[in-house]
Amino acid sequence: HPSSSLLLCPYSHGTPYINHDGKDPNVKIQWMENDERYHNSSWLNEPVSFFDSVWTTNLMFEYVALRDIQDGEEVLVDYGREWEEAWNDHVKAWKPDEDYVSPHDLNTNLDLPLKTHEEGASMYTTIDGFHTDARNGERKIHRIRARRPYQKNQDDGFVYDLEVIGSGNQVKRVNGATRSQMHFFHKPYEADIFREGSFRHEMMIPDEMFPSAWRNL
């Protein structure tokens, strides 16, 4: 809320999947009725300083349908005017990173040739690759050494010479690996949501339900 320094961090499994619609939302949020297990409504009357020493969760929102929601229809809530304005500004200013390739693209578009580590050193600082074959199973790719044309390969027309991490952390060479034998993942905290320029803005609690005791700005 623009009049408060308090930031709430909902962590329910379902909340990240409820998207924004500022024009025609089909649900709204409201405070849950007082419940000793999940929601202590007395906290709504406490000042912001009260939460400096609170290390438990005891507030809960309810999502209430504004109309009948059909089977298979997406659930949508209004994040607030401030969020929508910030999103629109982000979209206008956003520029794609021409050098960025996501692991999803690498795993689903096998026609996309891989760069060697010499060609795309920065690319491999954020993703890990793995090579799998019937004899050795899955092994982490240490380095893509070379890319060689091979017309019989039905993936991208190339085969790859790799260095992989074998048993005992020994580096082993694999020659002639195909794209379909490799798959890629983001390294920890390197996914798209952690990238510089990713959109971040708090979702706003409607003014009519925001406690007056929390308005400290």
Side-chain angles (χ1 to χ4, degrees), residues 15 37 55 60 72 96 108 113 119 133 153 175 192 194 216:
T15 54
R37 296 171 300 169
W55 299 99
M60 182 169 285
T108 57
E119 294 171 330
D133 61 28
N153 179 15
N175 295 326
D192 293 354
F194 298 104
N216 64 335

Side-chain angles (χ1 to χ4, degrees), residues 15-21 25 27 74-79:
T15 54
Y17 302 103
I18 301 178
N19 286 320
H20 166 71
D21 189 329
V27 298
E74 183 177 9
V75 176
L76 299 165
V77 69
D78 184 359
Y79 289 179

Side-chain angles (χ1 to χ4, degrees), residues 57-99:
T57 57
N58 211 355
L59 290 172
M60 182 169 285
F61 288 137
E62 293 176 328
Y63 286 83
V64 181
L66 297 172
R67 57 174 173 79
D68 290 344
I69 299 175
Q70 303 303 311
D71 185 24
E73 181 181 358
E74 183 177 9
V75 176
L76 299 165
V77 69
D78 184 359
Y79 289 179
R81 176 179 54 82
E82 293 88 346
W83 186 96
E84 184 163 324
E85 290 176 350
W87 170 253
N88 290 335
D89 290 342
H90 171 77
V91 171
K92 291 177 183 177
W94 184 79
K95 294 181 180 179
D97 182 350
E98 301 295 340
D99 296 326

Side-chain angles (χ1 to χ4, degrees), residues 106-107 109-115 124 129-134 137 139 141 143-144 146-164 173-184:
L106 294 177
N107 293 332
N109 184 6
L110 299 184
D111 292 332
L112 183 66
L114 294 176
K115 292 183 178 180
Y124 296 109
F130 294 85
H131 173 262
T132 303
D133 61 28
R139 294 184 293 181
I141 297 173
R143 187 166 170 262
I144 299 176
R147 179 183 62 249
R148 296 182 282 114
Y150 187 68
Q151 296 303 319
K152 292 183 180 181
N153 179 15
Q154 299 300 311
D155 294 337
D156 59 355
F158 294 94
V159 290
Y160 298 85
D161 298 338
L162 315 175
E163 292 177 356
V164 300
R173 288 195 174 187
V174 175
N175 295 326
T178 63
R179 288 281 279 106
S180 57
Q181 292 177 314
M182 293 179 275
H183 53 283
F184 299 85

